[in-house]
Amino acid sequence: MATSDVRKTVLGIINTVQRRLGVSPTDTVSSTTHANMLLELLNDVIQECSDFGDWQEMFREVNVTAISSVGTYEVDASAEVKNIYEIHWDDDIAPLEVRDIQEIRRLQRVNSHGEPRQFAIVGVSGVNPLFRVFPVPTTSGALFDVAFYKKPRIYTTSDGGVTPSFPAIMLEKGLYAKALLEEA
């Protein structure tokens, strides 16, 4: 099966649904109000698909550089983070153990330094997640490898040629169902 059978552009998905609804396909997403409505519904479908689980298409990794005597770090990714899968320290094979906020706060009060073995997600700084580690690193320049799932982007009328990360048939069926509900 070719990739073109699995993936379609935003405009291609909208046009397929328009044909099924008996509406003439459009040249651009912004050319009709119906296409604009389908774009909004497509964004809803994509968000619902993302909420259903963790998709391998959305898996990403980013490195965060450790700083000596700093216990809280920001995951500065190029995409919005949906959820963090795991974090591991520098050359260690095993990932850091997940702790809750109360426990990581208690552990950090011990004021221990060394190679981090545990972490907790403690909040966000604007858009990016913050995590705390224990023990606090003693070396600068070592890396935390953060594996995460990103949130899907929101498509606009200028994104007609962009291909969403999800299978087209799933998006088409979801969009068709939403369009029928909208008409009802």
Side-chain angles (χ1 to χ4, degrees):
M1 182 180 285
T3 305
S4 60
D5 296 336
V6 177
R7 305 276 189 246
K8 286 186 182 176
T9 63
V10 168
L11 183 60
I13 293 167
I14 289 172
N15 281 338
T16 299
V17 171
Q18 285 180 325
R19 279 190 293 278
R20 291 181 90 188
L21 292 170
V23 177
S24 298
T26 58
D27 294 333
T28 63
V29 177
S30 61
S31 61
T32 65
T33 55
H34 188 261
N36 281 326
M37 184 223 20
L38 289 177
L39 176 65
E40 289 178 24
L41 294 175
L42 178 61
N43 279 322
D44 292 345
V45 169
I46 290 171
Q47 187 61 50
E48 288 175 10
C49 291
S50 175
D51 289 347
F52 185 71
D54 294 328
W55 294 78
Q56 292 303 314
E57 293 90 342
M58 303 308 237
F59 183 80
R60 301 290 185 273
E61 291 183 60
V62 68
N63 289 324
V64 177
T65 305
I67 301 169
S68 179
S69 300
V70 173
T72 303
Y73 295 90
E74 180 178 353
V75 179
D76 191 11
S78 60
E80 285 189 60
V81 176
K82 176 183 163 194
N83 65 331
I84 293 179
Y85 178 67
E86 73 175 16
I87 299 175
H88 77 81
W89 169 253
D90 211 27
D91 293 330
D92 285 352
I93 294 172
L96 301 180
E97 296 175 24
V98 181
R99 297 290 180 236
D100 58 21
I101 295 172
Q102 295 87 346
E103 188 168 350
I104 207 77
R105 285 175 43 89
R106 180 184 56 78
L107 290 169
Q108 281 191 329
R109 284 193 291 269
V110 174
N111 205 18
S112 178
H113 291 71
E115 285 191 7
R117 297 285 177 228
Q118 302 166 24
F119 82 97
I121 305 299
V122 295
V124 293
S125 68
V127 176
N128 298 322
L130 297 172
F131 67 95
R132 288 187 185 174
V133 295
F134 177 81
V136 175
T138 55
T139 58
S140 289
L143 298 174
F144 292 102
D145 180 31
V146 181
F148 67 95
Y149 291 94
K150 74 176 193 141
K151 289 182 183 178
R153 63 179 282 201
I154 295 174
Y155 296 100
T156 63
T157 55
S158 63
D159 293 327
V162 177
T163 304
S165 298
F166 297 105
I169 191 84
M170 177 179 67
L171 296 179
E172 288 169 352
K173 288 182 185 250
L175 180 57
Y176 182 63
K178 280 200 174 283
L180 289 175
L181 285 172
E182 187 74 19
E183 285 181 7

